[in-house]
Amino acid sequence: VVWVPVEQLRTSFAGLRRGRLRQSGPRLAELPLRVWAREEGAYELLDGFKRLERWRGAGATHVPVVVESLSSPLDAKTALLAANAPRRTLSILDEARVVASLRHDDGLGPKTIAHQLGRKAHWVQRRLALARGLSSEARLAVDAGRVGPSLAHALTGLRHADQDAVLASARRHALRAKEAM
């Protein structure tokens, strides 16, 4: 991580990043910007457009950056996509566990949880259904990525033994999620 003057940053790729900003929960510590070193000390921004705007608005003169080793605009645009589309590291069941903890350990109601997490009440209800409604085998399958969100939600409507029977049948017949549903 190096600190560079704000005036050395270029944002010519900003038009490629017009996605909506979604706030959820408390703001975490700001990460460094990701840039591509251009000619004569200039840096092209690849990741952190909103952070840069916040820092500029706060009057920052220098910002932390990570410089990517790229050789062309094509590589830079590919890196822009990779930086802004990280792999999902939480499973839907991880989300359900957190929501259930907020509900049961912290005593929050569904509307409060939804507000705290920046989600809709329906999202909270679906996560709570997953937390309390899946069999042990179904939980393992969801955590391993073998069962996706739609099938997981459908399984919560069944008794645990029936969930396990559906999953066994789906495995035995190599069914896709839609077929298993």
Side-chain angles (χ1 to χ4, degrees):
V1 176
V2 296
W3 288 81
V4 300
V6 172
E7 63 269 4
Q8 287 182 273
L9 295 173
R10 306 291 175 260
T11 59
S12 61
F13 292 157
L16 303 175
R17 288 281 300 135
R18 296 278 182 209
R20 65 185 177 101
L21 176 63
R22 187 176 78 168
Q23 294 289 342
S24 64
R27 180 174 283 166
L28 300 174
E30 299 281 12
L31 295 173
L33 306 176
R34 187 170 282 165
V35 299
W36 168 38
R38 301 294 308 255
E39 67 287 335
E40 302 168 15
Y43 298 92
E44 186 65 47
L45 190 60
L46 302 173
D47 180 44
F49 293 94
K50 296 173 190 94
R51 278 173 276 157
L52 177 59
E53 286 306 311
R54 283 193 299 272
W55 286 336
R56 280 183 174 158
T61 59
H62 288 73
V63 295
V65 302
V66 172
V67 181
E68 298 292 342
S69 299
L70 304 168
S71 59
S72 71
L74 176 63
D75 289 343
K77 289 177 184 176
T78 302
L80 180 137
L81 283 179
N84 289 286
R87 289 183 30 209
R88 184 175 172 95
T89 58
L90 286 178
S91 76
I92 191 170
L93 198 50
D94 292 332
E95 293 172 348
R97 288 182 186 106
V98 171
V99 169
S101 175
L102 290 170
R103 178 77 175 116
H104 302 293
D105 300 339
D106 299 306
L108 301 180
K111 287 183 181 179
T112 305
I113 294 169
H115 178 73
Q116 177 69 28
L117 299 180
R119 300 292 189 151
K120 296 191 182 292
H122 178 72
W123 182 90
V124 171
Q125 293 297 348
R126 288 174 62 88
R127 295 312 181 272
L128 287 171
L130 286 173
R132 67 178 171 256
L134 290 175
S135 70
S136 297
E137 185 176 332
R139 287 174 189 269
L140 290 172
V142 171
D143 278 334
R146 294 188 311 269
V147 170
S150 296
L151 180 54
H153 285 293
L155 289 172
T156 63
L158 302 174
R159 294 178 312 134
H160 287 191
D162 293 336
Q163 291 177 26
D164 296 345
V166 167
L167 292 174
S169 180
R171 239 185 347 268
R172 184 172 43 256
H173 299 289
L175 301 178
R176 295 187 180 128
K178 282 188 173 188
E179 296 165 332
M181 287 179 59

